[in-house]
Amino acid sequence: MTDIILNILFLSSPLLLASFGALISEYAGRTAVFIDGIINLSAFLCYAFTVLTKSPAAGCILSVVCSTAFILLFLTAVEQVHANPFLAALALNIFSGAIVSLLSAEIFGTRGVLTSPLFTFQAVPARYSTFIAACILTAAGIIFLFVTKRGLYIRITGTNSDVLLSKGINVSRTRVLAGCLAAVYASCAGCILAIRLSSFVPNISSGKGWLALAAVFLGKRTSTGTIIAVAAMCAAEYFAANLQNVLPHISTPLLLSFPYIVAIILIFIEPGKNSGN
Amino acid sequence: MILLVVSSHTFSAASDFLTGSFTSGYYLGAVLNTATLFMAAGLGDAIILTTGEFNLGGEGQIYAGGFAAAIVLNLTENMPPSVSLLCAFAAAVAVPALMALLSALLKELKNASILLTTFLISAAVIPFIDSLIAGKFRGSYGNLLATPFIRESVRFPHILNPSPLSVISLSAPLLCILGWYLIYRTGYGKQLQITGISNEFAAYCGYSRKKIIYSSLIISGALHGITGFIAVTGTYYTCHSGFYSGMGWDALSCALIAASNPAAVIPSSLILSWIFTSADRVSLNYNSGFDINLLIQGVMLACISIQYAGGMRHDRHHS
């Protein structure tokens, strides 16, 4: 039983980070549709920088910095030209896939799976260390959101931005800050996915960004609710992944649809009606 | 601009990009055929966009429609072709419409975001269909992951050989014109438009938002299913794994460029189809080595996001 719980917790690290990032952006009044694209981009950058610098730590840090800088530029542009944030984020998801494809072909000569002896990690330590890192980052995020003044501004931006305006606080800048924080969490999730696989696989996120949005919705846009939703979704994913032990003939593509089916079922059986959209 | 960045033969590639698709019957037919697929799916997106909502499940709905059509056509082999086609059409329309209906239901019961649930349902359905194509419904064609080819008598003939353009493709522009009539010339269309502009005003007018959301989502899903039907009976003659790829997002771009006007979906689909077919051609001829279409898609959608917001500001100003 302890093993099962531990495995579910290990499995939850990337989704927990992505969901927490999505939650921060949701507080600021923007659905972080770009998270899926950032997970893919940061996973690739983590691999690329690690191989190029021969240091996993440098790889992770540079990946998070570059992905966040990319989102900073993107969000600033969205705010400046008053673009539709939802469509722009969809564009970013597609665009990041193209950038990964382009860079992968240019640097590594292939746009397929990338592996290297310089990007190999032992499974057990990788699982423990990434889980601990995910917990620390989430705890730090909760403290930031609920204890600091900047966190309070972010939480007010989505619901009562007029209050901030009346106090002379730049709402647009607060929204960009929330988006950048979401990008930090999403890129950490991307790094974790790449490290756990010891490789980069195209479309490594496999919809985790969208599942993160579903978790935020299921958690009724609260941090505790989101964490519970992530745990429930990961528990279902764990049991689905182990279904092949019981039903050996079940096809692998079918298992890929399980996380989404679970998310839909959870939305369906969740008590009450969610407020807002 | 993209060609300048990615190609070592910039000028010849640019010239090939602009004119290449019109130099052979094959590419011209491919442009027109892809455009008609965009039109049918883009019309589905345009209708839901008119209400102010997004259907992000287009790809899964197209795939489900095509798969349902292929399976029904194979299961009704002993029936007359017209009956077989009618059953396949009904299945192709019904399955994606049910997928969309589920989103409408989740919106009504749980206030779940339509764009999120349409995406989640589509993402759940795609691997499920993949597994069925790879397993129980796979035809015996070596490595090809596809259902058995449909019989000759239910195939719509190609009209610009060797291109995949077929007779049934001509129905897509007609559908767009019908869609235009529905939105701009009927009371129901007016309800869709007013709901899209202001929910509060629609409620004040006595329009049922529930009815509008359900009906528009079902129509949107059905039109995506029709796209799958056209693809299977007119283009591929089978449902192969991943035939929908990119189609849903491109169709959404067409609808957004057309500002959700079904008549404008026709030219926007032709333009996007020309761009993507030319990009494919250039990518093949100049060996770009990466997904140039994805890059164009991203840039295109980014441009639309600016234009769309501008359009919304313009609309708000006028209202």
Side-chain angles (χ1 to χ4, degrees):
Chain A
M1 190 64 187
T2 319
D3 274 358
I4 292 173
I5 292 170
L6 263 179
N7 282 324
I8 292 169
L9 290 175
F10 290 147
L11 194 67
S12 68
S13 314
L15 188 59
L16 178 68
L17 288 173
S19 304
F20 197 75
L23 180 68
I24 295 173
S25 188
E26 196 73 36
Y27 274 133
R30 287 275 160 88
T31 301
V33 176
F34 59 78
I35 282 197
D36 207 55
I38 287 300
I39 292 175
N40 284 324
L41 180 68
S42 61
F44 170 77
L45 291 177
C46 178
Y47 173 88
F49 283 128
T50 302
V51 170
L52 295 175
T53 61
K54 299 183 177 65
S55 159
C60 288
I61 292 166
L62 285 171
S63 165
V64 172
V65 169
C66 288
S67 304
T68 310
F70 183 56
I71 282 293
L72 175 65
L73 282 174
F74 162 77
L75 292 175
T76 309
V78 166
E79 293 286 333
Q80 290 293 317
V81 300
H82 301 287
N84 179 306
F86 165 69
L87 288 178
L90 279 181
L92 185 129
N93 277 350
I94 295 172
F95 197 66
S96 61
I99 291 175
V100 167
S101 167
L102 176 65
L103 292 176
S104 182
E106 288 295 317
I107 302 170
F108 302 106
T110 174
R111 52 179 185 175
V113 176
L114 299 173
T115 54
S116 163
L118 294 168
F119 197 79
T120 309
F121 305 94
Q122 284 185 323
V124 177
R127 245 182 272 161
Y128 274 94
S129 55
T130 52
F131 174 65
I132 292 165
C135 289
I136 292 170
L137 279 168
T138 309
I142 290 172
I143 291 167
F144 171 79
L145 272 180
F146 293 96
V147 175
T148 68
K149 202 186 268 184
R150 285 264 164 224
L152 179 68
Y153 293 164
I154 287 175
R155 285 189 291 131
I156 293 172
T157 306
T159 48
N160 293 306
S161 55
D162 290 345
V163 176
L164 292 185
L165 280 172
S166 65
K167 288 196 75 176
I169 292 154
N170 191 329
V171 173
S172 168
R173 209 173 286 167
T174 313
R175 227 178 259 145
V176 171
L177 172 70
C180 288
L181 282 172
V184 168
Y185 280 89
S187 44
C188 288
C191 293
I192 288 179
L193 285 172
I195 287 169
R196 286 192 177 178
L197 283 177
S198 288
S199 61
F200 171 75
V201 181
N203 194 21
I204 196 168
S205 79
S206 57
K208 283 228 161 25
W210 292 95
L211 290 174
L213 297 180
V216 171
F217 174 81
L218 281 166
K220 295 192 178 358
R221 297 168 178 86
T222 63
S223 47
T224 319
T226 303
I227 291 168
I228 293 169
V230 167
M233 285 162 85
C234 289
E237 194 183 339
Y238 173 80
F239 289 115
N242 284 284
L243 211 60
Q244 262 182 333
N245 298 333
V246 189
L247 301 166
H249 298 298
I250 195 163
S251 72
T252 311
L254 188 61
L255 291 175
L256 293 175
S257 68
F258 265 85
Y260 303 106
I261 294 172
V262 168
I264 296 161
I265 292 172
L266 286 175
I267 291 174
F268 212 84
I269 61 172
E270 179 199 32
K273 199 170 179 175
N274 222 306
S275 61
N277 194 351
Chain B
M1 281 288 282
I2 291 170
L3 285 171
L4 201 69
V5 175
V6 302
S7 177
S8 49
H9 308 87
T10 309
F11 294 108
S12 53
S15 157
D16 199 10
F17 183 91
L18 292 172
T19 59
S21 294
F22 304 108
T23 54
S24 78
Y26 173 78
Y27 279 108
L28 181 61
V31 168
L32 294 174
N33 184 59
T34 309
T36 56
L37 296 174
F38 288 173
M39 281 175 210
L43 175 61
D45 288 316
I47 286 176
I48 193 73
L49 280 170
T50 307
T51 69
E53 296 287 353
F54 281 86
N55 175 5
L56 294 190
E59 304 222 319
Q61 290 164 3
I62 293 169
Y63 202 19
F67 178 73
I71 295 307
V72 170
L73 286 171
N74 283 318
L75 289 175
T76 56
E77 265 183 344
N78 300 324
M79 291 185 183
S82 54
V83 177
S84 200
L85 277 170
L86 209 63
C87 293
F89 183 78
V93 167
V95 175
L98 281 173
M99 287 165 65
L101 181 71
L102 185 56
S103 283
L105 203 66
L106 287 168
K107 174 71 185 172
E108 190 204 336
L109 297 176
K110 301 290 170 183
N111 197 25
S113 156
I114 288 175
L115 70 94
L116 179 63
T117 55
T118 47
F119 182 86
L120 289 176
I121 293 166
S122 168
V125 163
I126 288 171
F128 182 68
I129 295 176
D130 280 341
S131 74
L132 291 176
I133 291 177
K136 200 179 170 188
F137 294 101
R138 186 175 179 181
S140 44
Y141 310 113
N143 290 329
L144 182 65
L145 282 173
T147 59
F149 278 94
I150 57 174
R151 64 190 191 275
E152 293 275 352
S153 57
V154 291
R155 294 179 184 182
F156 288 96
H158 289 163
I159 49 176
L160 196 62
N161 279 318
S163 83
L165 184 70
S166 71
V167 180
I168 195 174
S169 302
L170 303 175
S171 62
L174 293 176
L175 277 174
C176 287
I177 291 163
L178 278 175
W180 175 86
Y181 186 83
L182 177 80
I183 291 182
Y184 294 107
R185 290 288 180 272
T186 66
Y188 173 71
K190 192 171 276 180
Q191 290 189 21
L192 293 184
Q193 288 186 69
I194 290 175
T195 306
I197 294 166
S198 166
N199 273 324
E200 289 78 12
F201 189 66
Y204 177 74
C205 292
Y207 302 154
S208 161
R209 179 163 167 78
K210 185 176 146 185
K211 197 178 107 188
I212 287 165
I213 291 296
Y214 270 92
S215 58
S216 56
L217 263 172
I218 288 171
I219 295 172
S220 176
L223 283 163
H224 281 95
I226 290 173
T227 311
F229 178 80
I230 295 173
V232 165
T233 55
T235 305
Y236 305 116
Y237 301 142
T238 179
C239 175
H240 67 79
S241 185
F243 82 82
Y244 62 87
S245 186
M247 227 182 260
W249 296 108
D250 295 339
L252 180 63
S253 299
C254 291
L256 289 165
I257 290 172
S260 27
N261 179 338
V265 168
I266 300 174
S268 69
S269 298
L270 283 166
I271 292 168
L272 279 201
S273 169
W274 165 66
I275 289 173
F276 288 125
T277 309
S278 298
D280 269 341
R281 189 186 147 89
V282 168
S283 188
L284 197 70
N285 290 350
Y286 296 87
N287 198 20
S288 71
F290 74 99
D291 203 337
I292 193 167
N293 267 350
L294 212 56
L295 200 58
I296 294 173
Q297 252 178 3
V299 172
M300 195 82 72
L301 209 52
C303 296
I304 295 168
S305 74
I306 300 167
Q307 175 225 335
Y308 196 72
M312 289 204 305
R313 276 198 303 277
H314 180 79
D315 288 347
R316 231 175 280 137
H317 180 72
H318 279 266
S319 62

